[in-house]
Amino acid sequence: MAPQTTSDALYAYPSIPIIFAKLKIMTIKYRSPVTSIILSCITFGIYFLYWIIKTKKEINSLGGKIPTAWLIIVPIANIYFLYRYAEAFSVYIKKDNNPILWFLFGWVVAPIAMLFVQSELNKFAALRRNSKKGAKH
């Protein structure tokens, strides 16, 4: 008997969520970690805000639940935002389930944390490039 709805299909064919997860990886963009740091310094942190908003959307596309980026400019709420960002990064990108470490790392040495986060995101971007090359051949 064939599944009647999309949710029935997800339970009937367990590989379908894996396919959907691979499609979501397509939204990750490759960025140079060093260039991101340099642009953040040159623009006095404005590029950092742009970068964190863009990477927040990318992590959320993989299943993260990072709240609105407006919390960055609200005192005290920005701590909550950074923790949720670190939590989503830890669970969905790094897959080490250590959000407190990543939160403290981002809080204490944000530029170095930016390098690590972007490097991990670039691994997903490389998956996208490799899957496109494989599809063409």
Side-chain angles (χ1 to χ4, degrees):
M1 182 168 100
Q4 300 298 320
T5 65
T6 305
S7 62
D8 291 340
L10 291 176
Y11 292 112
Y13 307 107
S15 63
I16 289 177
I18 295 169
I19 294 168
F20 287 163
K22 287 181 181 177
L23 291 176
K24 289 181 182 179
I25 290 173
M26 300 301 178
T27 61
I28 306 297
K29 181 180 178 187
Y30 178 86
R31 295 177 187 89
S32 168
V34 175
T35 303
S36 296
I37 297 285
I38 292 170
L39 286 173
S40 293
C41 292
I42 290 173
T43 62
F44 300 104
I46 294 171
Y47 182 80
F48 176 75
L49 294 174
Y50 169 80
W51 176 84
I52 204 158
I53 291 167
K54 289 297 185 181
T55 57
K56 173 196 91 75
K57 290 178 183 177
E58 293 172 356
I59 294 170
N60 280 346
S61 76
L62 295 171
K65 294 185 176 38
I66 306 169
T68 179
W70 286 104
L71 294 178
I72 297 171
I73 61 172
V74 179
I76 308 301
N78 57 10
I79 296 170
Y80 172 73
F81 174 86
L82 183 59
Y83 176 77
R84 293 299 301 261
Y85 186 94
E87 180 181 49
F89 172 76
S90 172
V91 172
Y92 295 100
I93 303 297
K94 189 68 173 161
K95 299 187 188 312
D96 64 359
N97 277 340
N98 202 349
I100 294 173
L101 174 71
W102 287 103
F103 168 74
L104 292 174
F105 191 51
W107 187 261
V108 176
V109 284
I112 297 171
M114 186 180 188
L115 285 171
F116 280 100
V117 169
Q118 190 57 59
S119 296
E120 292 296 322
L121 287 170
N122 286 345
K123 291 178 185 177
F124 281 90
L127 286 174
R128 184 187 95 200
R129 279 192 310 230
N130 292 339
S131 65
K132 281 185 178 181
K133 287 178 184 177
K136 290 181 182 178
H137 291 106

